[in-house]
Amino acid sequence: MNMGKITFYEEKNFQGRSYECMSDCSDMSSYLSRCHSCRVESGCFMVYDRPNYMGNQYFMRRGEYSDYMSMMGMRDNIKSCRMIPMHRGQFRMRIYERENFGGQMHELMDDCDNIQDRYRMSDCQSCNVMDGHWLMYEQPQYRGKMMYMRPGEYKSFRDMGMSGQRFMSMKRITDM
């Protein structure tokens, strides 16, 4: 079992009160009043600027984030975080043009930096993640807002609070 470990600090440069996390945490506000820096000692995490894994999402791999708000362009504090289990083996995801798995469908087994170029697909509104953990980005070349996708069926990104957001590139989460 490979464990992840992330430590959050109230102040920049790893100062002030800290909170160590080795699993999912749906609301950090009972541990820290704010969070300005963090250190990922092992594993990968998604951090969210709202409780219960809502709001804007940011991917953090091993490393030191001495002032993550300015580094990541965040306007808000981290309120929840989720550990990403490392997946060994193949990756597989089906993306659909429309909600409820409608419109054209394409199966991905590797990263795709632009669905418009690769598939002539101008929109992606639902998906089915069969294998592995993925990041979906609203702009090509893995830029813009992102969303963490665990294995499962996602019938409507809009219903997940992603209204007006489209996903144009997808990347596998590996421990590289």
Side-chain angles (χ1 to χ4, degrees):
M1 179 71 182
N2 57 337
M3 290 299 296
K5 182 173 165 191
I6 187 168
T7 307
F8 298 97
Y9 299 85
E10 284 194 334
E11 308 298 339
K12 294 176 187 176
N13 301 313
F14 321 111
Q15 302 292 309
R17 271 176 44 194
S18 66
Y19 172 62
E20 191 177 281
C21 197
M22 294 173 78
S23 60
D24 296 357
C25 178
S26 64
D27 190 357
M28 289 177 11
S29 54
S30 51
Y31 305 106
L32 297 178
S33 58
R34 62 187 176 279
C35 173
H36 282 291
S37 56
C38 69
R39 187 179 271 132
V40 180
E41 290 172 53
S42 57
C44 297
F45 289 81
M46 289 308 290
V47 300
Y48 303 80
D49 60 11
R50 284 171 50 202
N52 298 314
Y53 322 113
M54 302 290 282
N56 292 313
Q57 313 185 9
Y58 302 87
F59 175 67
M60 294 186 148
R61 61 175 65 252
R62 210 170 127 176
E64 301 205 325
Y65 301 84
S66 59
D67 177 7
Y68 77 85
M69 288 175 96
S70 62
M71 290 164 83
M72 307 180 83
M74 286 179 81
R75 286 173 302 287
D76 249 328
N77 273 313
I78 294 173
K79 298 290 192 333
S80 53
C81 79
R82 183 163 258 164
M83 193 187 90
I84 301 172
M86 267 310 123
H87 175 74
R88 309 253 176 260
Q90 71 165 354
F91 285 74
R92 208 153 60 99
M93 168 166 68
R94 288 187 179 145
I95 57 172
Y96 299 84
E97 190 177 21
R98 304 268 162 263
E99 293 183 304
N100 296 311
F101 316 119
Q104 52 169 312
M105 181 276 286
H106 295 282
E107 188 165 302
L108 279 67
M109 296 183 78
D110 58 2
D111 302 349
C112 176
D113 64 2
N114 190 332
I115 61 170
Q116 177 89 55
D117 288 356
R118 192 192 283 187
Y119 301 119
R120 300 279 166 263
M121 211 168 150
S122 60
D123 209 349
C124 171
Q125 294 180 8
S126 57
C127 76
N128 181 3
V129 178
M130 284 96 99
D131 294 298
H133 296 248
W134 297 73
L135 288 175
M136 297 180 75
Y137 296 82
E138 69 175 345
Q139 294 168 24
Q141 312 298 335
Y142 319 117
R143 288 204 286 265
K145 284 188 178 169
M146 62 179 79
M147 184 161 71
Y148 167 45
M149 310 301 281
R150 306 194 284 188
E153 294 190 344
Y154 300 87
K155 290 185 169 146
S156 166
F157 298 147
R158 197 180 48 197
D159 290 353
M160 298 166 67
M162 297 285 167
S163 58
Q165 194 165 330
R166 3 177 18 171
F167 294 101
M168 301 304 290
S169 52
M170 296 87 197
K171 187 180 245 182
R172 297 162 300 158
I173 300 178
T174 62
D175 51 6
M176 294 312 292

